[in-house]
C-alpha cells in the first residue's frame, strides 16, 4: 500500500465515529450523478478522465480496462495478481478463468464492474482510485503498482491527496465518481 501524505486536506479525528459520507463532506468531495444502466463504474471513469483526453465515452473506458486485464494476464504471474484478485490458487486453471471472466465482463455492455475491476482501472489509467462505500469507516485504495496489494484503510488514517480519483459505491449496485468542490469566489475577489 502506498504511503499517504497530507496536501491541505483535513483528516477525521475519531476513527470509530467517522463514516464515508462524513469524510466526503469534511473534505469538500461530492458525488456526481451518472446513469444507472449497468455501466455506472465506466461512466464514472469518463467523468474523471475525459478532460484529460483519455476517454470519450464509457465504451472507451471498458475497452481500456479490458486491455489492461488482457496484458496483465499475459505478462504477470498468478502469484502477483493473487495479492489483489481472489481465485482458488490450488486449481491451476483458476487464474486464467478468473482473468477471462473479468475481461469478458468488461466487454459486455450493461455488465456491472466488480471491485476486482478497480485495480485494473487504476492500471489502465495509471492513477490511484479511492473507493468509498456507503456507511463504511474504511476505504480501499487501488494504485497502478502491480506489486502492491489492496487493503482497506481506516478513514481516521486516510487523508485525501491531490492526484487521487475518488469513486463512491452505494453498497448495493451503483458507483459514482467524486469531484472536489471548490467554493465560488465573489465578484470582488475575481478583480
Amino acid at each position: 500500500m502506498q504511503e499517504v501524505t497530507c496536501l491541505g486536506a483535513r483528516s477525521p479525528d475519531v476513527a470509530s465515529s467517522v463514516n464515508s459520507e462524513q469524510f466526503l463532506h469534511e473534505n469538500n468531495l461530492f458525488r456526481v450523478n451518472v446513469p444507472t444502466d449497468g455501466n455506472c463504474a465506466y461512466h464514472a471513469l469518463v467523468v474523471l478522465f475525459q478532460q484529460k483526453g483519455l476517454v470519450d465515452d464509457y465504451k472507451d473506458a471498458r475497452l481500456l480496462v479490458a486491455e489492461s486485464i488482457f496484458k496483465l494476464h499475459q505478462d504477470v504471474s498468478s502469484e502477483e495478481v493473487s495479492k489483489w484478485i481472489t481465485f482458488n490458487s490450488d486449481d491451476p486453471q483458476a487464474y486464467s478463468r478468473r482473468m477471462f471472466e473479468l475481461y469478458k465482463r468488461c466487454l459486455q455492455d450493461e455488465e456491472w464492474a466488480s471491485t476486482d475491476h478497480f485495480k485494473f482501472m487504476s492500471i489502465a489509467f495509471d492513477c490511484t482510485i479511492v473507493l468509498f462505500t456507503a456507511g463504511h469507516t474504511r476505504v480501499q485504495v487501488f494504485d497502478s503498482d502491480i506489486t502492491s496489494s489492496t487493503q482497506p484503510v481506516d478513514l481516521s488514517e486516510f487523508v485525501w491527496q491531490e492526484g487521487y480519483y475518488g469513486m463512491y459505491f452505494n453498497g448495493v449496485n451503483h458507483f459514482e465518481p467524486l469531484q472536489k468542490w471548490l467554493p465560488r469566489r465573489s465578484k470582488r475577489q475575481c478583480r
Side-chain angles (χ1 to χ4, degrees):
M1 178 159 327
Q2 78 183 63
E3 187 176 333
V4 178
T5 58
C6 179
L7 293 176
R10 294 181 303 161
S11 179
D13 297 329
V14 182
S16 61
S17 64
V18 177
N19 65 29
S20 56
E21 289 81 4
Q22 180 181 353
F23 181 87
L24 297 178
H25 175 74
E26 290 176 355
N27 286 274
N28 295 322
L29 296 165
F30 67 95
R31 296 168 21 206
V32 177
N33 291 327
V34 293
T36 56
D37 60 1
N39 299 306
C40 57
Y42 301 99
H43 285 297
L45 289 172
V46 172
V47 169
L48 296 174
F49 295 106
Q50 189 172 37
Q51 290 181 1
K52 294 183 179 229
L54 298 177
V55 289
D56 290 324
D57 63 22
Y58 76 92
K59 291 179 181 181
D60 290 342
R62 280 185 173 278
L63 288 174
L64 282 172
V65 175
E67 186 177 285
S68 74
I69 293 170
F70 184 78
K71 285 180 182 176
L72 276 171
H73 182 253
Q74 292 179 321
D75 300 339
V76 180
S77 72
S78 61
E79 290 80 29
E80 288 295 318
V81 175
S82 68
K83 293 177 184 175
W84 34 273
I85 299 291
T86 54
F87 57 89
N88 180 358
S89 59
D90 295 334
D91 178 358
Q93 298 301 315
Y95 170 64
S96 291
R97 279 196 305 272
R98 182 66 180 138
M99 295 294 274
F100 179 71
E101 176 189 319
L102 292 168
Y103 174 78
K104 187 173 80 170
R105 285 181 71 177
C106 282
L107 297 177
Q108 294 176 335
D109 199 29
E110 300 178 3
E111 185 68 37
W112 297 356
S114 69
T115 54
D116 282 346
H117 285 97
F118 277 81
K119 183 68 170 186
F120 296 109
M121 291 175 187
S122 69
I123 291 166
F125 289 92
D126 192 24
C127 69
T128 298
I129 296 175
V130 182
L131 181 62
F132 294 82
T133 301
H136 284 247
T137 59
R138 298 169 78 75
V139 293
Q140 288 181 279
V141 180
F142 301 88
D143 62 24
S144 58
D145 180 359
I146 62 168
T147 63
S148 67
S149 61
T150 303
Q151 298 292 325
V153 178
D154 192 285
L155 278 171
S156 67
E157 300 168 11
F158 179 76
V159 178
W160 186 260
Q161 182 170 294
E162 290 298 319
Y164 280 178
Y165 295 90
M167 294 268 221
Y168 181 86
F169 179 53
N170 70 1
V172 182
N173 62 0
H174 189 60
F175 293 99
E176 294 172 314
L178 296 173
Q179 296 282 315
K180 189 82 168 168
W181 178 79
L182 301 172
R184 289 181 129 178
R185 297 187 324 182
S186 70
K187 289 180 183 179
R188 183 176 291 165
Q189 290 174 315
C190 293
R191 291 183 190 177

